[in-house]
Amino acid sequence: MTDRVGFIGLGNMGAPMAKRLLDRPGGLTVCDMRPEVVVTYTDAGANAADTPAAVAEQAEVISIAVVDDAQVRGVVDGPDGILRTAKPGSVIAVHSTISDATAEELAGICASHDVEFVDAPVSGGAPGANRGVLAVMVGGTETAFQRVREPFGAFADLIVHAGPVGAGTRMKLARNLLHFAAFTAATEAQRLAEAAGLDIAALGKVVRHSDAVTGGAGAIMLRDTTAAIEEGDFWLPILSHARDLGEKDLSLAMELGERLGVALPFAELAIDGLGIGLGVGTGPIATKKRTGGSPA
């Protein structure tokens, strides 16, 4: 049976996600505080609901894409919330990035109503939603995961069952740690390039082009553990090579920064932690930097 989907929150992320559900069998009911936003969906055949409770009267799988924990709580368990009318067996899916503790708390409240709860944050932004290529990280029971896989496939081409409730959020937080730390490292690279008299817009083009080919930071995220790599392991020569190249290039960038008077704190952290993070230990360049001695 194809569940009817409800979608609450038609903002920057919710709008393109919901649009991808318009042609899906089973039907769509939408809800947003701004009536003018809803018209696009009703003109295309969706039903409109004034409150989350009214959505739950119609839908069995209900997606939520609102701003923060407080709004999610209100949508789920407020006076006009989903749980006022939700049918037993319904699934509530929160796509907002909230606290994993909030997800676990709401899952307990939903369970008392015989309603499943999944935290299902997404990665890929509005462009990914428009193209239907989001990644969704789902925390919840296997039963709930199987229920949401089909409708989520309208806006995502990677749907991962991260674990129990809260695991989807924890995976999203780890993913976004990389995302925004990389943004900060990018600003450091821009400062270095600008001090060297380079066109930093052209540098941006190079970064986007090469990351699309190599996979960027995700290219090294291939192992199922962060433990140190033992002798004879397949990954040892591969990641040792990556460490050696990285330490060389980082040390050259740091020398350039020193000459130009540009502080590079992210580069300092990277050269100290790269080999250890890869599981292969520090290489000769980082070891020399730490000890002040000669490379091994």
Side-chain angles (χ1 to χ4, degrees):
M1 185 178 71
T2 302
D3 291 312
R4 185 176 190 88
V5 172
F7 208 103
I8 301 170
L10 303 172
N12 183 56
M13 282 300 299
M17 291 168 69
K19 284 179 181 177
R20 299 284 306 186
L21 290 161
L22 281 168
D23 296 328
R24 175 188 162 274
L28 175 67
T29 298
V30 296
C31 178
D32 193 274
M33 294 185 298
R34 302 158 297 166
E36 68 276 10
V37 173
V38 173
V39 174
T40 299
Y41 301 86
T42 54
D43 286 350
N47 290 352
D50 293 335
T51 66
V55 173
E57 290 177 344
Q58 301 181 36
E60 293 82 32
V61 173
I62 304 167
S63 284
I64 301 170
V66 294
V67 174
D68 55 23
D69 293 50
Q71 288 191 5
V72 169
R73 288 178 188 277
V75 167
V76 173
D77 197 32
D80 291 315
I82 293 167
L83 292 179
R84 303 289 77 79
T85 60
K87 297 177 283 291
S90 298
V91 181
I92 297 174
V94 175
H95 301 299
S96 315
T97 301
I98 58 174
S99 164
D100 57 332
T102 299
E104 292 170 342
E105 177 190 344
L106 289 174
I109 296 171
C110 288
S112 69
H113 293 259
D114 291 327
V115 171
E116 292 263 22
F117 178 96
V118 299
D119 53 313
V122 299
S123 184
N130 277 308
R131 293 166 47 207
V133 294
L134 291 175
V136 187
M137 297 148 278
V138 180
T141 66
E142 179 64 26
T143 299
F145 177 67
Q146 293 303 329
R147 287 278 300 284
V148 300
R149 285 182 68 181
E150 181 271 322
F152 286 5
F155 48 74
D157 62 353
L158 178 63
I159 304 166
V160 175
H161 190 188
V165 172
T169 297
R170 290 187 279 271
M171 186 175 284
K172 174 65 183 289
L173 295 177
R175 193 271 171 272
N176 275 14
L177 182 152
L178 172 62
H179 189 64
F180 291 110
F183 277 10
T184 309
T187 66
E188 182 168 295
Q190 287 177 311
R191 289 196 299 274
L192 178 65
E194 189 171 55
L198 302 175
D199 180 343
I200 63 173
L203 172 63
K205 291 179 181 179
V206 171
V207 171
R208 289 188 294 274
H209 177 86
S210 55
D211 278 2
V213 175
T214 66
I220 61 94
M221 302 176 76
L222 300 168
R223 301 173 64 220
D224 58 7
T225 176
T226 59
I229 300 176
E230 298 180 357
E231 289 292 335
D233 190 291
F234 168 82
W235 289 109
L236 184 60
I238 296 172
L239 295 181
S240 294
H241 178 64
R243 174 205 63 198
D244 292 345
L245 283 177
E247 289 186 1
K248 174 182 68 69
D249 290 355
L250 285 165
S251 67
L252 291 172
M254 290 164 65
E255 289 172 10
L256 177 60
E258 187 173 356
R259 293 202 309 272
L260 297 174
V262 178
L264 302 176
F266 264 66
E268 291 274 1
L269 289 170
I271 200 167
D272 285 342
L274 177 62
I276 295 170
L278 291 174
V280 295
T282 55
I285 293 176
T287 300
K288 177 185 177 183
K289 174 180 175 295
R290 285 183 175 187
T291 63
S294 300

